[in-house]
Amino acid sequence: MTADNDTPAIGAEKHYQTQLQAGIFTIQKCTACQQSIFYPRMICPHCGNDTLQWYQPSGKATVYSTTVVRRKAEHGGDYNVALVDLDEGPRLMTRVEDIEPDAVQIGLAVIASIRDTDEGKLLVFTPQGAAK
């Protein structure tokens, strides 16, 4: 597996995290079956091919499932956890931010955003059209 045409292979998770910390959201695509893949892997889960390419998806997605994690205000307050389907196909677990946790609904159009946290950069989603 190569990250692009001239980058030697490195662990898929390490590559993903390195790109994310640089502010770039990437996913993989299988060169054989053309399926987009997320979570980073070394082998295509669809066909078993081991030649995967990295690319930047559109970032557009739709909320598939959502829940609210309840916390006391002094512990950060409530937050949303959601499964979103990227337009490119893969489903991933994330948070939807810039909206009240209870307002996130199945079918909501969202877009990827990379946020700075105390632990580094984090991929979250925001409602499409929301101010950043």
Side-chain angles (χ1 to χ4, degrees):
M1 181 190 78
T2 59
D4 52 48
N5 291 338
D6 17 79
T7 304
I10 60 173
E13 170 66 13
K14 181 177 179 183
H15 178 84
Y16 171 75
Q17 289 297 332
T18 299
Q19 292 297 300
L20 190 63
Q21 296 313 307
I24 304 166
F25 171 41
T26 57
I27 63 173
Q28 297 166 295
K29 180 180 259 190
C30 177
T31 61
C33 70
Q34 299 300 305
Q35 292 285 323
S36 291
I37 301 162
F38 189 88
Y39 206 76
R41 301 168 192 251
M42 299 302 289
I43 296 174
C44 177
H46 304 285
C47 72
N49 181 42
D50 67 352
T51 306
L52 307 175
Q53 295 178 327
W54 291 94
Y55 74 100
Q56 292 181 24
S58 68
K60 295 179 181 178
T62 304
V63 173
Y64 173 82
S65 178
T66 182
T67 191
V68 177
V69 177
R70 304 282 182 200
R71 293 189 301 188
K72 293 180 179 180
E74 61 267 21
H75 296 291
D78 297 348
Y79 65 94
N80 167 271
V81 175
L83 293 176
V84 299
D85 291 334
L86 293 175
D87 282 3
E88 292 78 9
R91 178 173 293 156
L92 58 121
M93 184 180 290
T94 188
R95 292 194 316 229
V96 178
E97 295 188 344
D98 297 346
I99 185 173
E100 289 298 318
D102 291 327
V104 178
Q105 296 182 0
I106 294 170
L108 178 68
V110 293
I111 190 146
S113 177
I114 298 173
R115 300 284 169 94
D116 289 315
T117 70
D118 292 340
E119 293 82 34
K121 298 200 185 283
L122 178 68
L123 178 68
V124 300
F125 285 75
T126 60
Q128 285 189 30
K132 292 189 178 193

